[in-house]
Amino acid sequence: MHSPLFPLADPAITRLDTELLNGFDRKIRKEKVVSCLIIQDGYLTYEYHKNKKQAQKLQKINSCTKSFISALIGIALDQGLIAGLDIPITSYFPYLEQKSVDPVKRSITLFHLLTMTPGFDWPEFGEWQSFPRMLHSPDWVRFVLDRPLLDQPGEKMNYNSGCSHLLSAILQKATGMSTYDFAKKYLFQPLNIEDSYWYSDGQGIHNGGDGLRLTSRDMGKLGLLYLQVGQWQDKQIVPAAWVQESIQPKFRTYERIGSYGLHWWSDRIDPSDDWTEDNFYYFALGFGGQYILAAE
């Protein structure tokens, strides 16, 4: 793998079809696309911005934030700050031990949050129309924990930004740092991400579901980091085993989107063929058309 600092591609080494790329460029310019980058073998082979300002602008990456949360959980696990994915979340939210709370909630684990399978009644892709109601609550964490259960934990994936916010709250409790400060120290600084912003709730917990803003180039660094199995400039930033585990399909719930892993989506490149390493891609997805797409 070449240097991950996005040098411009030498036309002699790029594997992209020039004619296809030119056609792609013409189409991009006709669409409502703000920025688009293609990084291949560590080289920036294509870069489009609607205007010069967009190249440096902090973009709302919306739910692509969730895949950054996943990376941070992997780092915290590697550091021993989180003991494992089978840890019940009551360890972090003792409120769930109260007699008035549904006792089934005590069996919800970090794995359930990462795969969005805690079983909460959470119609984010239904009547809420992609906007979780916790955003209008004075206490987002409590709002999530108080939602009634529709399914047993681990039975069914149901898209839930509340899971991501609970993971951010857990990161804060486990690391003794805000999610944002932990990200800056162990993910952003190693990736040379210097400019960013991360919204937080009224309790100072950074929004794990969709609160992060980054430049388009810095978004691309997470995709390249994962293609390099967590390595960046010969340093292991995210554990390799965590990267590989995160992107594997675990639950298939939304045919129009794909399968879900540990806060990463995945699907087949050619839906008519079997699922193999050569017919597989994974991605972060944000409301409004933000993507980090990665394939070998």
Side-chain angles (χ1 to χ4, degrees):
M1 182 66 67
H2 297 285
S3 168
L5 298 178
F6 303 159
L8 293 175
D10 180 342
I13 59 94
T14 182
R15 293 180 283 120
L16 293 178
D17 184 301
T18 303
E19 189 175 334
L20 281 176
L21 187 59
N22 289 339
F24 175 78
D25 179 69
R26 287 193 296 271
K27 189 167 185 179
I28 281 281
R29 293 174 188 278
K30 294 177 183 178
E31 301 292 333
K32 293 180 180 179
V33 174
V34 171
S35 295
C36 179
L37 284 70
I38 299 175
I39 302 157
Q40 185 185 68
D41 299 329
Y43 285 95
L44 185 60
T45 57
Y46 175 81
E47 183 171 23
Y48 165 78
H49 300 286
K50 188 176 181 180
N51 53 55
K52 289 182 179 180
K53 286 184 179 180
Q54 296 299 338
Q56 303 301 324
K57 184 179 178 181
L58 290 179
Q59 309 285 357
K60 281 185 179 180
I61 71 169
N62 291 328
S63 286
C64 290
T65 302
K66 294 176 171 71
S67 297
F68 282 86
I69 284 284
S70 179
L72 295 174
I73 291 287
I75 293 169
L77 280 163
D78 189 53
Q79 293 182 6
L81 300 172
I82 294 174
L85 296 189
D86 58 349
I87 301 296
I89 64 171
T90 50
S91 305
Y92 301 99
F93 308 113
Y95 160 73
L96 294 176
E97 298 283 4
Q98 294 183 13
K99 289 184 179 180
S100 60
V101 175
D102 184 343
V104 177
K105 291 182 180 179
R106 295 169 203 156
S107 64
I108 296 172
T109 66
L110 269 73
F111 177 81
H112 296 139
L113 296 184
L114 280 159
T115 54
M116 296 192 180
T117 59
F120 290 121
D121 178 8
W122 194 273
E124 189 166 340
F125 275 4
E127 64 186 79
W128 290 356
Q129 298 180 326
S130 299
F131 291 98
R133 288 186 178 173
M134 72 176 181
L135 302 180
H136 306 293
S137 164
D139 187 332
W140 295 7
V141 167
R142 182 68 178 267
F143 179 89
V144 180
L145 296 176
D146 279 346
R147 293 295 299 175
L149 293 177
L150 283 182
D151 302 289
Q152 289 292 312
E155 279 189 352
K156 181 183 176 183
M157 185 271 183
N158 176 53
Y159 194 77
N160 183 335
S161 292
C163 291
S164 313
H165 196 62
L166 292 185
L167 288 169
S168 181
I170 288 168
L171 276 167
Q172 182 169 302
K173 290 171 182 282
T175 65
M177 306 167 67
S178 74
T179 298
Y180 192 20
D181 284 342
F182 188 73
K184 285 178 181 176
K185 185 171 183 178
Y186 296 107
L187 185 61
F188 293 177
Q189 286 181 11
L191 298 182
N192 197 32
I193 295 175
E194 297 177 344
D195 196 11
S196 59
Y197 185 81
W198 203 328
Y199 290 94
S200 57
D201 68 8
Q203 283 66 46
I205 300 166
H206 290 90
N207 184 354
D210 61 8
L212 188 56
R213 286 190 175 195
L214 294 169
T215 66
S216 300
R217 279 196 176 199
D218 286 341
M219 269 185 80
K221 289 176 182 178
L222 186 70
L224 182 55
L225 176 70
Y226 269 59
L227 279 175
Q228 295 175 164
V229 203
Q231 278 199 348
W232 193 265
Q233 294 181 323
D234 300 321
K235 183 179 179 184
Q236 197 72 40
I237 308 301
V238 180
W242 180 259
V243 171
Q244 292 166 337
E245 185 69 15
S246 300
I247 63 175
Q248 294 306 311
K250 301 187 184 302
F251 291 89
R252 188 164 186 90
T253 305
Y254 305 102
E255 288 294 329
R256 63 188 174 86
I257 305 176
S259 297
Y260 209 62
L262 303 180
H263 269 41
W264 282 90
W265 296 94
S266 61
D267 208 348
R268 291 170 293 174
I269 296 169
D270 183 349
S272 65
D273 273 357
D274 292 336
W275 198 303
T276 64
E277 286 189 13
D278 294 331
N279 190 34
F280 167 81
Y281 71 102
Y282 54 96
F283 57 102
L285 168 63
F287 179 83
Q290 301 86 24
Y291 288 93
I292 303 171
L293 296 154
E296 295 293 341

